[in-house]
Amino acid sequence: MVEKIKAFLKEVTLESKKVVYPSKDELIGSTWVVVIFSFVVSMFLGFVDLGLSKLVSKLIK
């Protein structure tokens, strides 16, 4: 059991050395993409929700 744990930790160490971290500029660019996309999707869903709520309220009356 101890040997399996040692082998696992050794593999984790080897795999962690293969990780390529983004540069600062890439990280900032990706962050802006996520922020803008989240804003656009939230605006779209807000308009859809507003339209559907008005439609349902007219159907109920």
Side-chain angles (χ1 to χ4, degrees):
M1 180 73 172
V2 175
E3 292 301 320
K4 287 184 179 182
I5 294 173
K6 286 182 183 179
F8 172 74
L9 291 176
K10 185 176 179 181
E11 289 178 23
V12 168
T13 304
L14 290 174
E15 289 297 323
S16 66
K17 291 179 182 178
K18 296 178 185 178
V19 175
V20 178
Y21 294 99
S23 68
K24 183 178 178 181
D25 291 335
E26 291 173 333
L27 185 63
I28 291 171
S30 298
T31 302
W32 276 113
V33 168
V34 170
V35 168
I36 292 169
F37 182 75
S38 297
F39 180 75
V40 169
V41 168
S42 67
M43 293 299 291
F44 172 75
L45 291 176
F47 286 127
V48 168
D49 182 48
L50 182 65
L52 289 175
S53 64
K54 288 187 182 236
L55 178 67
V56 168
S57 66
K58 285 186 179 188
L59 291 174
I60 292 176
K61 287 183 181 181

